[in-house]
Amino acid sequence: MNNEVIILVAEDDEGHVGLIRKNLARAGITNKIIHFPDGQEILDFLLCLGEGPHREKDQAYVILLDIRMPKVSGVEVLRAVKSNPEIKKIPVIMITTTDDPREIENCHVLGCNSYITKPVEYENFVQAIRQLGLFLSVVQVPNL
Amino acid sequence: MPENPFHHTLVELIDEGIVYHLPDGQVSYGNPAALRILGVTRDQLMGKTSMDPQWKCIYPDGRDYPGSEHPAAISLQTGQPVKDAMMGVYNFRESRFRWISISSFPQKDEQGNLTQVLITLRDITEQKEAEEAEKETSQTLRTLFDAMEEMVVLHQVVLDAQGLATNYRLTDCNRAFTRITGISRDAAVGKLATEVYGVNEPPYLHEFSQVGLTGTPYFFETYFAPMEKYFAISVVSPGTLTFATVSNDITPVKKIQQHLAAKNRELEQIVYVASHDLRSPLVNVDGYARELGYSVDELREELSDGAVAALADMNESINHIRSSAQQMDKLLKGLLKLSRFGRAAIEVDTIQTKEVVDRVLESLEYQIQQQEILVEVGDLPPCRGDYVQVTQVFSNLIGNAIKYLDPQRPGRISIRGFEDLEKVWYSVEDNGIGIKENHRESIFEIFHRLDPAKTEGEGLGLTIVRQLLERMNGEIRVESRVGEGSTFLFYLPKVRVE
């Protein structure tokens, strides 16, 4: 059994992905990261559909989701994950540019585990990523 | 003349005019009432006939009333009585026509010969004038009725054997009804609603019959599908089981409102999406500038002194990029915030303004104490509004008053309110630095800031205040003197007293 948690990042902006990678590394998080450029690809991965890579049994995952993505939005991915008994225990963290309270509320209602606003002020972002690292080390990530 | 003394007294006292004519037509007697009605003296009347050219008599339609058609003349000629002929007689004493109802009664001796003709004159002037006035009033009303822009229809509730309203009948309608519905008056009056509108269920039967049954007026706005029109309908009951509807075609207004609402939603959506999507690249601009900064720091350790100087330049460039990205982000956040206020649902309720202001002051207590500001709170009547948003309005205005005080003198802020007929006015007054006249309108513009170097802020406070007040049917204005202070004056709807 592989206990090393894999971080799944669904994010359409390559730049943001780079920043997330760099900052996770700077926060001391060295877990494997798989990047998906839109909501459809991460859903295919999780639901074992299509020709791309698929989720493995007995592997622990954490999902970082952007909200605004082409094809399938982050909110829809969140809804699909949380309504599927097989994968609903995977922690989902929304990382997005909006701090609209209604959007945040909506994500919490749908069952997201954490919500991080992508701040332009970099220090805040680093801080948020550190908290995420802390979160990842504290939260019990279930094996599937 | 009456020979019996009792009859004579009676005839002298009676209010009805009585005149006796001899068989040759000459008047032999007129009682005081007759003299009064005709406006003549007894001497003037005696010996005259109805044919006398001095009489000026007319029919009700204004035609001359010839003496030969006078009831007395007819009875004299035919020996038959005439009942209730209506005649206008010019009363020379009063210089006006008096309207009389004349009856004539021929009297005969035992042989059947005409001995005299007695006529009675009943003065009906007042009655006729009242009738005419009423006719005139009703004509005026009818003219107004037909000239009205609103459709007015009178109805009668139709009840079944159990006393339940099942339908209603149109009893009258004005021209606007025909103009708007295309249904002629003939096709409507006297018909049942179901027939007039060609439907199975009489439209708004419940609402309408309630008014007819209870007499309580009712007002509502509705979309009437068969005509594809919006109406504002006011229903009143002029009498039991009757009701009148006064309907305004508000379709054009509704169309404009819907169009405006759609445009507004569109605009807010654009602002939301734009500011949201625009922030995304900024995350990269700022993020990678910072990464560059890290690289510069790493390089510094390994490079020669000359190169280090170049690195300082790079750092400066990086700082400019980052501060601009952050500035841009602030603006976008501001836009997002504003669009969020514009989209937030409002719940209008009675607001205890005094409590709201006390809470706002409580949250600002630290600043007020630190800066030793004297705060006066006057009478603050309640108003109608959304609790959160009214709080926001006071919070922004009082916050601004504190922010723009003059450090050269002790700060003073007073918050007061008063009511007029429809509105509650509130004022937030300070003795701060004041606002130049040419800035008084622009301070409400988005991102406008008078002195960005000296004060913190995103330049949104007053824009939000104005937007919130507009959404709650309020308005704001400012009065100010540079160096003396500013007063922000706004109103909100008054609490209705039921």
Side-chain angles (χ1 to χ4, degrees), chain B residues 32 35-42 44 90-96:
Chain B
L35 302 176
R36 190 187 70 240
I37 294 166
L38 299 170
V40 292
T41 63
R42 185 158 282 161
Q44 286 170 332
Y90 196 77
N91 182 316
F92 284 95
R93 199 180 288 159
E94 296 174 354
S95 310
R96 59 177 281 193

Side-chain angles (χ1 to χ4, degrees), chain A residues 13-16 18-19 22-23 26 68 96-103 118-123 126, chain B residues 272-273 276-277 279-284 286-288 290-291 294 322 325-326 329 333 336 340 343-344:
Chain A
D13 189 315
E14 292 286 345
H16 292 195
L19 287 174
K22 282 177 189 291
N23 284 286
R26 206 166 279 127
R68 291 177 73 84
T96 187
T97 42
T98 180
D99 55 354
D100 187 337
R102 283 182 313 170
E103 197 124 40
K118 281 180 203 166
V120 164
E121 283 147 90
Y122 205 64
E123 283 67 25
V126 172
Chain B
Y272 175 76
V273 171
H276 191 273
D277 291 356
R279 287 191 72 211
S280 208
L282 274 184
V283 170
N284 286 335
D286 187 64
Y288 286 101
R290 186 77 181 97
E291 289 297 331
Y294 286 141
R322 295 197 64 210
Q326 282 162 19
D329 187 50
K333 268 186 176 160
L336 264 175
R340 200 176 300 148
R343 285 176 294 136

Side-chain angles (χ1 to χ4, degrees), chain B residues 343-498:
Chain B
R343 285 176 294 136
I346 55 170
E347 267 178 58
V348 174
D349 205 347
T350 296
I351 305 295
Q352 299 303 332
T353 312
K354 179 82 173 62
E355 286 171 26
V356 169
V357 170
D358 285 346
R359 269 171 171 250
V360 169
L361 289 174
E362 228 174 80
S363 70
L364 294 167
E365 206 181 342
Y366 178 76
Q367 281 167 277
I368 291 169
Q369 281 187 355
Q370 282 290 304
Q371 302 183 41
E372 294 175 5
I373 302 165
L374 176 67
V375 179
E376 299 165 338
V377 180
D379 190 25
L380 293 170
C383 65
R384 301 275 303 162
D386 175 277
Y387 185 84
V388 176
Q389 306 203 352
V390 173
T391 307
Q392 184 80 51
V393 167
F394 274 105
S395 173
N396 287 10
L397 291 178
I398 298 171
N400 272 357
I402 294 174
K403 202 190 288 181
Y404 297 103
L405 282 174
D406 187 339
Q408 307 300 318
R409 56 173 177 263
R412 194 165 41 75
I413 296 171
S414 65
I415 303 143
R416 281 187 282 255
F418 64 91
E419 287 179 312
D420 70 10
L421 280 174
E422 296 147 13
K423 308 185 265 267
V424 194
W425 290 85
Y426 300 107
S427 66
V428 176
E429 188 183 348
D430 64 57
N431 67 339
I433 55 176
I435 304 158
K436 279 190 198 146
E437 195 168 349
N438 54 346
H439 287 147
R440 273 173 219 160
E441 194 45 41
S442 54
I443 53 169
F444 293 103
E445 286 169 9
I446 186 166
F447 300 137
H448 186 93
R449 296 184 52 212
L450 291 181
D451 199 352
K454 282 192 195 155
T455 50
E456 288 280 308
E458 38 191 358
L460 277 179
L462 290 176
T463 313
I464 288 173
V465 164
R466 176 181 268 184
Q467 192 189 35
L468 294 182
L469 287 173
E470 262 170 23
R471 293 191 67 204
M472 295 186 286
N473 298 319
E475 223 177 272
I476 186 163
R477 63 167 181 256
V478 63
E479 288 157 14
S480 183
R481 269 173 199 274
V482 175
E484 289 180 27
S486 310
T487 304
F488 285 85
L489 191 63
F490 67 96
Y491 66 77
L492 280 167
K494 208 165 139 176
V495 178
R496 286 183 300 266
V497 183
E498 296 293 330

Side-chain angles (χ1 to χ4, degrees), chain B residues 287-314:
Chain B
Y288 286 101
R290 186 77 181 97
E291 289 297 331
L292 266 179
Y294 286 141
S295 308
V296 167
D297 289 345
E298 283 163 21
L299 273 176
R300 186 176 288 124
E301 308 294 318
E302 299 167 20
L303 286 180
S304 65
D305 288 354
V308 167
L311 288 181
D313 283 352
M314 284 173 74

Side-chain angles (χ1 to χ4, degrees), chain B residues 116-275:
Chain B
Q116 58 183 358
V117 169
L118 179 157
I119 65 168
T120 62
L121 312 170
R122 193 150 50 82
D123 187 348
I124 55 166
T125 310
E126 280 173 20
Q127 189 186 330
K128 188 160 190 311
E129 279 173 354
E131 269 170 25
E132 266 166 14
E134 201 181 302
K135 204 166 137 193
E136 202 175 313
T137 310
S138 88
Q139 238 164 21
T140 309
L141 287 178
R142 183 84 220 176
T143 310
L144 285 175
F145 189 59
D146 279 330
M148 278 171 82
E149 279 294 311
E150 293 88 351
M151 293 196 282
V152 185
V153 187
L154 297 171
H155 310 82
Q156 196 135 34
V157 180
V158 176
L159 301 176
D160 65 8
Q162 276 77 46
L164 292 172
T166 56
N167 209 333
Y168 53 88
R169 192 180 297 282
L170 283 73
T171 55
D172 201 355
C173 64
N174 67 350
R175 289 211 185 107
F177 174 81
T178 301
R179 192 187 67 238
I180 294 169
T181 62
I183 300 168
S184 73
R185 192 164 184 275
D186 287 345
V189 172
K191 305 270 175 17
L192 291 170
T194 42
E195 301 168 342
V196 175
Y197 301 115
V199 288
N200 291 329
E201 289 293 317
Y204 315 112
L205 177 64
H206 177 72
E207 289 89 341
F208 288 170
S209 59
Q210 279 306 106
V211 176
L213 292 168
T214 65
T216 315
Y218 185 65
F219 175 84
F220 65 107
E221 281 186 10
T222 183
Y223 178 70
F224 190 51
M227 288 170 59
E228 296 179 9
K229 278 179 193 294
Y230 288 91
F231 291 106
I233 304 179
S234 162
V235 198
V236 290
S237 175
T240 317
L241 288 181
T242 62
F243 63 90
T245 53
V246 182
S247 315
N248 244 327
D249 180 2
I250 53 169
T251 314
V253 178
K254 279 277 164 192
K255 287 258 161 73
I256 291 168
Q257 280 176 352
Q258 285 169 351
H259 183 70
L260 258 182
K263 279 276 162 224
N264 254 333
R265 272 197 302 275
E266 201 178 297
L267 194 66
E268 270 157 16
Q269 192 60 24
I270 289 170
V271 169
Y272 175 76
V273 171
S275 46

